[in-house]
Amino acid sequence: MTATIRPAVGFVDESTRAARYLLACTIVELRHLADIRRELAALVLADRQRIHFVKESVARRRQLLPTFNALPQRTLVNVCPIGPAVTQHAARAACLAAFVRDLLAQQVERIVLESRHSMDHDDARTIAATRTPTPRLLYEHLVPAHEPLLWLPDAYAWAVGAGGDWRARAAAGVDDVRTVRP
C-alpha cells in the first residue's frame, strides 16, 4: 500500500483457489461510500440480493469488472500459499494482519469484513493481536446482502485468483497484489 487515503474504510473479503488463499481489501474514502453503495445496488439483478462473483455468469463478470474499475476505490490483494504446512486459517490470519498494519499506517480507522459467522472470533483475535492502541482501528463483520461494498473485494479476490484474462480485466481496479507468509 503506497498512498494515504483519509478518511476511509477498508472492506475485506476472501477467495480460495487451488493452493492459494486470497484476501482482498477495497479502500473507499468516506465521501464516496453512499454514491458507490447506490451504484452497486443498482447493478443487482432482480432475482438476487447481491452480487457474488462466483455465481455470476461469464458475460456478467465481463460487464461488472469495468464498472467496478471505474469506481473511486483502491483494492489490494494479499495472497498466501496454503497446503499441508499452512492452513486456510493461518493464511487468513497472515493476510489480515498485513492489512491491519497497512491500514493503521494509512490512518484508515475502520475495517468491514464479510462475516463468516462462527469464525468471526478468529478475525477479532488477529486484529487485536496486530493493531496498536493508536491510531484507532475499529472493525465489524457484516453480511454482503447488507453491505454492497463487500461485493468489490469479493470480485477482485475472485478475478485475481482466476488469473489470466480475469486478472487482466481487474488490473485497473487492483493497486497491488502481494504474497504474504504466516
Side-chain angles (χ1 to χ4, degrees), residues 166-181:
W166 290 113
R167 185 168 176 167
R169 288 174 184 272
V174 176
D175 281 11
D176 194 17
V177 177
R178 65 182 174 183
T179 300
V180 175
R181 303 218 185 262

Side-chain angles (χ1 to χ4, degrees), residues 3 13 31-32 36 39 47 57-58 62 68 71 77 85 88 105 116-117 122 169 172 180:
D13 195 15
R31 65 190 174 118
H32 297 300
I36 294 175
E39 287 182 55
D47 62 337
S57 69
V58 169
R62 286 185 180 135
F68 292 174
L71 295 171
V77 181
Q88 283 188 22
R116 299 174 308 139
H117 307 291
D122 294 332
R169 288 174 184 272
V180 175

Side-chain angles (χ1 to χ4, degrees), residues 13-15 18 27 44 75 87 96 101 112 121 124-125 132 146 158 161 163 168 171 179:
D13 195 15
E14 68 184 347
S15 183
I27 301 168
V44 177
T75 296
T87 65
L96 181 56
R101 287 187 293 273
V112 177
H121 65 280
R125 273 196 299 269
T132 55
H146 297 136
W158 184 94
T179 300

Side-chain angles (χ1 to χ4, degrees), residues 2 4 11 17 21 30-33 37 51 64-66 69 80 82 88 94-95 98 100 115 123 168 174:
T2 54
T4 300
F11 297 88
R17 291 290 182 129
Y21 184 90
L30 291 179
R31 65 190 174 118
H32 297 300
L33 292 176
R37 282 186 183 113
I51 295 170
L64 291 170
L65 279 173
N69 291 343
C80 184
I82 54 177
Q88 283 188 22
C95 291
V100 168
S115 179
D123 292 341
V174 176

Side-chain angles (χ1 to χ4, degrees), residues 7-128:
V9 179
F11 297 88
V12 177
D13 195 15
E14 68 184 347
S15 183
T16 304
R17 291 290 182 129
R20 295 175 300 146
Y21 184 90
L22 299 98
L23 195 67
C25 180
T26 299
I27 301 168
V28 178
E29 291 182 29
L30 291 179
R31 65 190 174 118
H32 297 300
L33 292 176
D35 290 338
I36 294 175
R37 282 186 183 113
R38 273 192 298 277
E39 287 182 55
L40 293 172
L43 295 170
V44 177
L45 297 175
D47 62 337
R48 303 224 180 127
Q49 292 184 333
R50 64 177 275 205
I51 295 170
H52 192 200
F53 236 59
V54 73
K55 295 182 179 179
E56 302 296 335
S57 69
V58 169
R60 181 117 164 98
R61 289 179 191 139
R62 286 185 180 135
Q63 172 195 15
L64 291 170
L65 279 173
T67 303
F68 292 174
N69 291 343
L71 295 171
Q73 58 83 24
R74 297 176 52 235
T75 296
L76 311 146
V77 181
N78 286 342
V79 181
C80 184
I82 54 177
V86 180
T87 65
Q88 283 188 22
H89 175 78
R92 181 179 179 91
C95 291
L96 181 56
F99 280 143
V100 168
R101 287 187 293 273
D102 292 339
L103 295 173
L104 283 168
Q106 295 182 56
Q107 299 181 4
V108 173
E109 294 185 352
R110 185 170 162 241
I111 305 173
V112 177
L113 302 105
E114 178 174 357
S115 179
R116 299 174 308 139
H117 307 291
S118 65
M119 296 186 286
D120 291 351
H121 65 280
D122 294 332
D123 292 341
R125 273 196 299 269
T126 298
I127 292 168

